[in-house]
């Protein structure tokens, strides 16, 4: 399908889905415009919504792309500092250093290496999440936090994670990433929020209990 906006002919795909209650509009990584909508919503209404939101969609995608480029530049800069690293690319995913060891994300390598591994984990999870729920992330930071594992500012696109996540099992660190991404959809801990979390981490209740234990050991004793 095509729509004309400000004299520009824009192509988009429209998917109708049963059970949907709202319309989703997103720009894919290749810039393709994709719309998902419930049955019964008119094409005219959908195209009016596209016209109203295309500017913010394009700006948000630009900011996310720039954040990903800064991350890749950061990787390359660190590689020059640590000559014994090996780096491989698998599509858009950069894998730096040695593979994870069983258990903790922290695997005995220099701290900056584990931060790179965490960033790899984040952008991979973001790619999966963004395919279902179009959001924009402009920056990801790891720092010491005294009372929480992560935080986010959806309006600014900023996400911050506790540096101590490098010392918990990989599945726990990945859960925290999805937990914070889901706060882009619900800024609370309602049943709707946990339903979103369950889409990506079905056994989140078990991991929540583990994270409480890690919190008592790590946050309480390492800060």
């Amino acid at each position: 399908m095509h729509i004309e906006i400000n004299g520009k002919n824009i192509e988009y795909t429209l998917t109708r889905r049963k059970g949907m209650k709202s319309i989703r509009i997103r720009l894919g990584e290749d810039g393709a415009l994709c719309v998902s909508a419930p049955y019964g919503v008119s094409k005219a209404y959908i195209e009016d919504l596209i016209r109203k939101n295309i500017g913010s969609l394009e700006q948000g995608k630009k900011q996310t792309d720039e954040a990903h480029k800064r991350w890749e530049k950061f990787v390359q800069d660190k590689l020059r500092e640590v000559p014994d690293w090996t780096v491989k690319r698998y599509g858009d995913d950069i894998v730096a250093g040695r593979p994870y060891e069983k258990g903790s994300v922290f695997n005995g390598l220099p701290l900056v290496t584990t931060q790179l591994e965490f960033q790899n984990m984040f952008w991979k999870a973001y790619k999966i999440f963004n395919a279902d729920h179009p959001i924009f992330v402009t920056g990801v930071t790891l720092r010491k936090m005294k009372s929480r594992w992560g935080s986010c500012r959806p309006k600014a696109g900023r996400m911050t994670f506790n540096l101590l996540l490098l010392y918990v099992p990989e599945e726990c660190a990945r859960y925290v990433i999805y937990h914070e991404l889901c706060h882009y959809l619900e800024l609370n801990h309602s049943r709707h929020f946990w339903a979103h979390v369950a889409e990506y981490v079905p056994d989140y209740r078990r991991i929540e209990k583990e994270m409480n234990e890690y919190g008592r050991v790590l946050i309480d004793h390492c800060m």
Side-chain angles (χ1 to χ4, degrees), residues 27 52-67 70 126 135-138 155-157:
L27 284 174
K52 290 178 180 178
N53 289 277
I54 190 66
S56 59
L57 285 169
E58 290 176 341
Q59 180 63 23
K61 184 178 185 304
K62 179 182 176 182
Q63 292 176 340
T64 297
D65 289 346
E66 288 173 350
R70 288 195 298 271
Y126 167 80
I135 65 168
F136 301 109
V137 175
T138 60
K155 290 185 179 180

Side-chain angles (χ1 to χ4, degrees), residues 179 182-194 197:
H179 183 113
C182 286
H183 275 310
Y184 272 71
L185 309 178
E186 297 284 342
L187 289 173
N188 51 49
H189 289 99
S190 65
R191 62 185 181 85
H192 296 293
F193 168 79
W194 291 114
V197 172

Side-chain angles (χ1 to χ4, degrees), residues 16-220:
R16 301 281 187 176
R17 295 181 178 176
K18 291 182 179 179
M20 285 194 70
K21 295 182 180 180
S22 60
I23 299 171
R24 293 178 184 171
I25 305 173
R26 68 182 181 89
L27 284 174
E29 292 188 12
D30 57 357
L33 184 62
C34 304
V35 182
S36 300
Y39 287 99
V41 179
S42 69
K43 180 182 175 184
Y45 181 85
I46 291 171
E47 293 192 346
D48 183 57
L49 205 60
I50 292 174
R51 289 188 177 93
K52 290 178 180 178
N53 289 277
I54 190 66
S56 59
L57 285 169
E58 290 176 341
Q59 180 63 23
K61 184 178 185 304
K62 179 182 176 182
Q63 292 176 340
T64 297
D65 289 346
E66 288 173 350
H68 205 164
K69 287 178 182 177
R70 288 195 298 271
W71 150 238
E72 290 199 358
K73 182 179 183 299
F74 176 75
V75 171
Q76 297 304 322
D77 290 344
K78 291 303 177 184
L79 291 179
R80 285 192 286 271
E81 297 175 17
V82 188
D84 59 335
W85 281 5
T86 59
V87 177
K88 296 180 180 179
R89 277 182 180 270
Y90 297 97
D92 292 333
D93 191 31
I94 302 171
V95 180
R98 288 175 286 177
Y100 289 111
E101 292 181 1
K102 184 177 180 180
S104 176
V105 172
F106 178 76
N107 56 14
L109 293 174
L111 187 59
V112 70
T113 307
T114 55
Q115 290 195 48
L116 291 175
E117 295 284 5
F118 183 89
Q119 289 268 5
N120 280 325
M121 187 191 301
F122 172 83
W123 287 107
K124 190 172 183 178
Y126 167 80
K127 187 175 182 179
I128 294 171
F129 187 87
N130 191 57
D132 299 325
H133 307 285
I135 65 168
F136 301 109
V137 175
T138 60
V140 178
T141 303
L142 272 166
R143 66 175 177 82
K144 288 185 178 180
M145 303 174 76
K146 293 183 178 180
S147 60
R148 59 179 64 183
W149 291 111
S151 65
C152 66
R153 291 186 292 156
K155 290 185 179 180
R158 302 289 305 179
M159 305 193 75
T160 303
F161 295 96
N162 196 320
L163 198 62
L164 293 177
L165 284 174
L166 303 181
Y167 294 84
V168 306
E170 181 180 345
E171 67 170 356
C172 293
R174 186 179 292 106
Y175 158 70
V176 174
I177 290 172
Y178 279 119
H179 183 113
E180 294 305 323
L181 286 171
C182 286
H183 275 310
Y184 272 71
L185 309 178
E186 297 284 342
L187 289 173
N188 51 49
H189 289 99
S190 65
R191 62 185 181 85
H192 296 293
F193 168 79
W194 291 114
H196 288 304
V197 172
E199 292 180 39
Y200 302 94
V201 190
D203 58 343
Y204 71 87
R205 290 185 178 87
R206 174 184 62 81
I207 297 177
E208 271 280 306
K209 291 179 181 178
E210 287 189 36
M211 292 305 290
N212 289 335
E213 292 298 321
Y214 284 115
R216 282 189 280 272
V217 174
L218 294 173
I219 295 179
D220 293 350

